[in-house]
Amino acid sequence: MGWFEALVLGLVQGLTEFLPISSSAHLRITAALAGWDDPGAAFTAVTQIGTELAVILYFAKKIGKVIQAWFFSLYKKDWRGHPDARLGWLIIVGSLPIVFLGLLFQDDIDHAFRDLRITATMLIVFGVILMIADRVGKKYRELDHLTVPHGLGFGFAQALAIVPGVSRSGGTVSAGLFLGYTRAEATEYAFLLAVPAVFGSGLYKLTDIGKDGVPAQWGPTILATLVAFGVGYVVIAWLMAFIKTKSYLPFVIYRIALGILLFILIFTNVLAPNAGPAL
């Protein structure tokens, strides 16, 4: 991977990680259209560390309160019912599904799930799911209403993002909307829930960089991660303001259109499903 390729992929990662349109799908599609090698699940996981650092910076005050309350709840009884302490425990509970499914399907994550036909299908299917959730969701619950079953529901939805095209934020937000949470609360929890999952995945996948005799491209990978961090922070701020007054419909339309376009490119042999351009 060269420096220009890393710059482009870092921009794509930062722009798409927090929007419900699947960053892993966009990294895969961008590389295929440009004729580059598939950046791979390891590169994607490591660059996502940059975007999660943006989450930590943007929600620093909230995360600090959650960590403090959770820590106090370990040895102070009067803190165990605190909303922030409960949120801390429920983030841990919600992280369990992606750990289990990530380890169970780790070979598929690196290979089978990266088929562009699967990516196109997931873009369309989960776009429709997001549209339905946004329309039928009651949108009255806040994070203080979060329960263990709800936390697990959010967590399983997040875990589906091991398949490119699903979208970590899109899947998690859809679950939250179905459960009756407001757009802002569902989106905030999706961001907070992603922090331990993404850092865990990124650190785990660090060992795959330079694996199988391929020289490690640490310089370009670090550049992509830093670019993803800067761009991701701006996108978070924009999205949190956008969803307070707008629906997710523009993202639904984009997902479905991109999925259809991807199928056309595959079936006309412009793109090979498991490689770059076919022509």
Side-chain angles (χ1 to χ4, degrees):
M1 180 179 296
W3 292 96
F4 177 73
E5 184 178 344
L7 174 63
V8 172
L9 294 177
L11 284 169
V12 171
Q13 171 65 30
L15 286 169
T16 59
E17 171 66 17
F18 302 113
L19 303 181
I21 56 177
S22 180
S23 61
S24 57
H26 281 74
L27 288 174
R28 178 75 178 86
I29 293 168
T30 300
L33 288 173
W36 301 332
D37 292 334
D38 180 358
F43 175 85
T44 301
V46 172
T47 55
Q48 283 175 337
I49 292 176
T51 48
E52 291 314 306
L53 287 173
V55 171
I56 291 174
L57 180 61
Y58 187 86
F59 292 104
K61 186 175 180 180
K62 177 68 174 179
I63 292 173
K65 288 181 178 179
V66 170
I67 293 174
Q68 180 188 51
W70 177 83
F71 182 74
F72 285 161
S73 74
L74 294 175
Y75 61 93
K76 292 185 178 181
K77 278 188 176 181
D78 55 330
W79 278 86
R80 290 173 188 170
H82 193 284
D84 286 334
R86 289 181 64 253
L87 182 57
W89 283 110
L90 288 169
I91 287 174
I92 294 173
V93 170
S95 299
L96 297 178
I98 198 168
V99 173
F100 174 73
L101 293 179
L103 292 174
L104 182 63
F105 293 104
Q106 58 181 323
D107 289 337
D108 294 312
I109 292 170
D110 290 333
H111 302 102
F113 290 166
R114 301 191 69 78
D115 188 305
L116 286 175
R117 291 165 295 192
I118 294 177
T119 299
T121 301
M122 294 300 100
L123 283 168
I124 295 170
V125 170
F126 279 86
V128 173
I129 290 173
L130 177 59
M131 178 180 65
I132 295 172
D134 203 20
R135 288 189 176 183
V136 305
K138 301 300 183 182
K139 304 179 184 69
Y140 69 95
R141 285 191 168 121
E142 298 183 350
L143 291 184
D144 288 349
H145 298 124
L146 200 61
T147 63
V148 171
H150 287 184
L152 286 172
F154 273 106
F156 275 108
Q158 174 182 245
L160 296 176
I162 61 177
V163 183
V166 172
S167 171
R168 186 189 309 276
S169 63
T172 313
V173 167
S174 294
L177 293 171
F178 277 126
L179 291 169
Y181 290 86
T182 66
R183 292 190 186 104
E185 296 291 283
T187 303
E188 180 176 327
Y189 185 65
F191 289 167
L192 296 176
L193 184 61
V195 172
V198 170
F199 272 103
S201 174
L203 293 174
Y204 179 74
K205 285 293 186 180
L206 274 174
T207 59
D208 286 349
I209 302 292
K211 194 176 179 181
D212 299 328
V214 179
Q217 301 294 315
W218 287 113
T221 300
I222 292 171
L223 172 64
T225 303
L226 292 175
V227 171
F229 163 74
V231 176
Y233 184 87
V234 175
V235 172
I236 293 174
W238 176 83
L239 181 63
M240 293 305 294
F242 178 85
I243 59 173
K244 290 178 180 178
T245 57
K246 303 292 193 303
S247 76
Y248 280 103
L249 184 59
F251 303 111
V252 170
I253 295 172
Y254 174 80
R255 288 180 63 106
I256 294 174
L258 180 60
I260 293 172
L261 175 61
L262 192 52
F263 269 127
I264 292 172
L265 293 175
I266 293 170
F267 289 124
T268 56
N269 294 320
V270 175
L271 287 179
N274 294 299
L279 299 179

